[in-house]
């Protein structure tokens, strides 16, 4: 009996694991790609690098046209083959001050763009810098997958309830925690249901993306911790008034770019750029959170109508498009502090967040 071919989801999972370990991947007919950040410091070399369009612009390639999205891929060629020690400063903007002179480089036409786009997205999922050696020598044993495999990976219907339990919390003793897990993903999302679920009253709902620095350490660079606490307080008040609430805690750190890359963005912010521009300089999306996943969580909880606590219209649109009716948008704004004034202004002026 022949061995069963791995599913698209398994191929993506294997590729993500490979990138975290620094192993090469091969997407369709594209060349072998070796992640610059995580590859072991042995002796691979390559004259070609796949980087983000934003990074190519920073390197001042005169023949690189500015891209609408900094996360899109660009193929560049060095005058001589680079080893990993030389390639890393090209990939990481945090090293620009230490390695100011790079190149010369030339941007080349990318004949395998679909695969390159998939590679950039795989790097984001893996939480690493989006930069690869192209066709390294030696190539190593690459993990193979197809560009189309990512569609199966991101399918929200892969998510299911894993378990649930009573969980009294400081804001509300009558609370339940429900854990959600996907066969494809190591991240486990949770919902906290405050009060008793009822079908005749829409719950007060908050989509909260994980923020280790804000939720746990009380970071003043953002408003995540106060937003989390205020949402639970509002839901507790809703329970006292005869209603109920749901907080969806989604493991999407740093707007979906991961903890390490979020901290890299913090370092760039310390140099004067705003939160969205910092993501762009890293070659990562300004917004990469998966809000349809929240709709799937609500569907698994048999919730079709919600009162949504948010100032972000993208959340409203995403839930509505996925079949969840937002019968009311409840403003959710916290006072600024001296450390997050610019962050909040960026959310308002560049990300389209509402004040009320």
């Amino acid at each position: 009996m022949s061995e069963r071919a791995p599913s698209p989801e398994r191929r993506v999972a294997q590729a993500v694991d490979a990138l975290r370990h620094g192993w090469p991947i091969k997407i369709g007919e594209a060349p072998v790609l070796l992640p610059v950040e995580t590859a072991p410091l042995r002796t691979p070399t390559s004259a070609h690098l796949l980087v983000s369009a934003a990074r190519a612009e920073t390197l001042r390639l005169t023949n690189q046209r500015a891209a609408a999205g900094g996360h899109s891929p660009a193929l560049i060629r060095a005058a001589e083959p680079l080893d990993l020690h030389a390639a890393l400063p090209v990939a990481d903007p945090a090293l620009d001050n230490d390695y100011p002179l790079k190149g010369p480089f030339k941007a080349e036409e990318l004949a395998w763009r679909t695969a390159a786009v998939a590679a950039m997205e795989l790097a984001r999922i893996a939480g690493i810098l989006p930069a690869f050696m192209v066709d390294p020598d030696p190539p190593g044993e690459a993990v193979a997958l197809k560009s189309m495999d990512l569609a199966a990976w991101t399918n929200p219907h892969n998510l299911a309830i894993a378990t649930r339990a009573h969980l009294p919390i400081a804001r509300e003793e009558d609370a339940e925690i429900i854990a959600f897990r996907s066969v494809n993903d190591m991240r486990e999302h949770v919902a906290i249901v405050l009060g008793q679920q009822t079908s005749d009253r829409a719950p007060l709902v908050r989509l909260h993306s994980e923020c280790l620095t804000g939720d746990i350490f009380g970071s003043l660079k953002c408003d995540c911790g106060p937003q989390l606490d205020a949402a639970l307080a509002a839901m507790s008040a809703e329970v006292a008034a005869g209603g109920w609430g749901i907080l969806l805690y989604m493991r999407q750190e740093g707007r979906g770019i991961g903890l390490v890359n979020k901290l890299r963005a913090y370092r760039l912010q310390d140099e004067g750029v705003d939160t969205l521009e910092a993501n762009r300089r890293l070659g990562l999306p300004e917004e990469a959170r998966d809000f349809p996943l929240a709709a799937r969580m609500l569907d698994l909880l048999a919730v079709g109508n919600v009162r949504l606590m948010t100032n972000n219209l993208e959340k409203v649109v995403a839930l509505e498009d996925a079949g969840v009716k937002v019968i009311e948008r409840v403003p959710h704004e916290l006072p600024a502090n001296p450390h997050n004034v610019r962050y909040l202004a960026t959310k308002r002026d560049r990300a389209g967040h509402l004040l009320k």
Side-chain angles (χ1 to χ4, degrees):
M1 182 181 295
S2 61
E3 185 177 348
R4 185 177 179 180
S7 67
E9 295 97 329
R10 182 175 291 274
R11 287 195 293 266
V12 173
Q14 290 171 339
V16 170
D17 185 63
L19 294 182
R20 288 175 177 155
H21 283 85
W23 302 332
I25 62 172
K26 191 173 190 310
I27 306 174
E29 299 304 314
V32 170
L33 300 174
L34 182 69
V36 171
E37 178 186 349
T38 54
L41 289 172
R42 42 183 192 270
T43 56
T45 60
S46 176
H48 287 87
L49 297 178
L50 182 71
V51 298
S52 70
R55 191 62 182 148
E57 291 170 26
T58 301
L59 295 171
R60 292 181 170 83
L61 298 180
T62 56
N63 58 337
Q64 171 65 29
R65 291 177 296 177
H71 187 50
S72 58
L75 180 64
I76 64 174
R77 177 170 60 83
E80 297 180 354
L82 304 174
D83 60 15
L84 283 166
H85 180 76
L88 187 57
V90 180
D92 190 351
L95 299 177
D96 283 348
N97 291 335
D98 297 328
Y99 299 87
L101 298 177
K102 306 181 191 67
F105 299 105
K106 179 182 179 182
E108 296 193 342
E109 183 171 350
L110 189 51
W112 35 279
R113 178 163 294 276
T114 299
V117 170
M120 304 302 275
E121 181 64 5
L122 285 167
R124 181 195 67 80
I125 293 170
I128 65 172
L129 290 168
F132 298 87
M133 280 187 166
V134 179
D135 200 14
D137 181 24
E141 186 176 348
V143 172
L145 72 159
K146 302 174 183 177
S147 300
M148 65 185 69
D149 292 343
L150 277 168
W153 169 272
T154 57
N155 187 344
H157 291 285
N158 292 322
L159 196 73
I161 292 177
T163 191
R164 58 203 305 162
H166 176 60
L167 183 71
I169 61 176
R171 287 291 185 180
E172 179 59 50
E173 292 186 7
D174 182 14
E176 182 184 27
I177 186 168
I178 300 102
F180 300 80
R181 187 163 56 194
S182 170
V183 294
N184 306 331
D185 198 345
M186 291 298 291
R187 298 173 303 172
E188 290 148 342
H189 310 280
V190 299
I192 302 289
V193 177
L194 283 71
Q196 295 300 309
Q197 182 167 347
T198 175
S199 59
D200 60 356
R201 186 163 178 167
L204 187 62
V205 172
R206 171 71 182 165
L207 277 59
H208 187 90
S209 296
E210 176 185 33
C211 177
L212 176 72
T213 49
D215 298 342
I216 304 300
F217 300 123
S219 168
L220 299 177
K221 289 177 70 73
C222 63
D223 58 346
C224 300
Q227 280 192 332
L228 176 61
D229 188 59
L232 292 172
M235 290 174 191
S236 181
E238 184 75 9
V239 173
W244 61 299
I246 307 173
L247 187 131
L248 303 180
Y249 195 85
M250 306 179 69
R251 305 291 300 281
Q252 303 188 125
E253 181 80 56
R255 292 176 176 266
I257 67 172
L259 177 62
V260 172
N261 281 328
K262 183 180 89 166
L263 298 184
R264 288 189 173 114
Y266 276 4
R267 181 170 174 175
L268 293 175
Q269 289 170 40
D270 290 340
E271 298 174 5
V273 302
D274 66 38
T275 180
L276 300 184
E277 179 59 25
N279 280 24
R280 177 180 171 82
R281 289 198 185 185
L282 287 167
L284 295 163
E286 296 176 353
E287 174 62 86
R289 287 176 290 181
D290 185 358
F291 295 136
L293 198 64
R296 171 61 176 167
M297 294 168 73
L298 291 170
D299 180 58
L300 290 168
L301 295 174
V303 174
N305 300 323
V306 301
R307 298 167 55 229
L308 187 64
M309 298 184 69
T310 188
N311 298 329
N312 185 354
L313 289 179
E314 286 189 23
K315 294 181 179 180
V316 176
V317 172
L319 290 188
E320 292 272 6
D321 287 349
V324 176
K325 185 174 179 58
V326 179
I327 63 173
E328 181 186 1
R329 184 187 69 82
V330 180
H332 192 49
E333 183 184 10
L334 281 298
N337 69 64
H339 300 276
N340 69 11
V341 168
R342 188 180 184 192
Y343 166 80
L344 296 177
T346 299
K347 289 207 297 184
R348 179 193 66 226
D349 299 336
R350 296 193 56 195
H353 288 214
L354 303 174
L355 291 178
K356 297 294 183 181

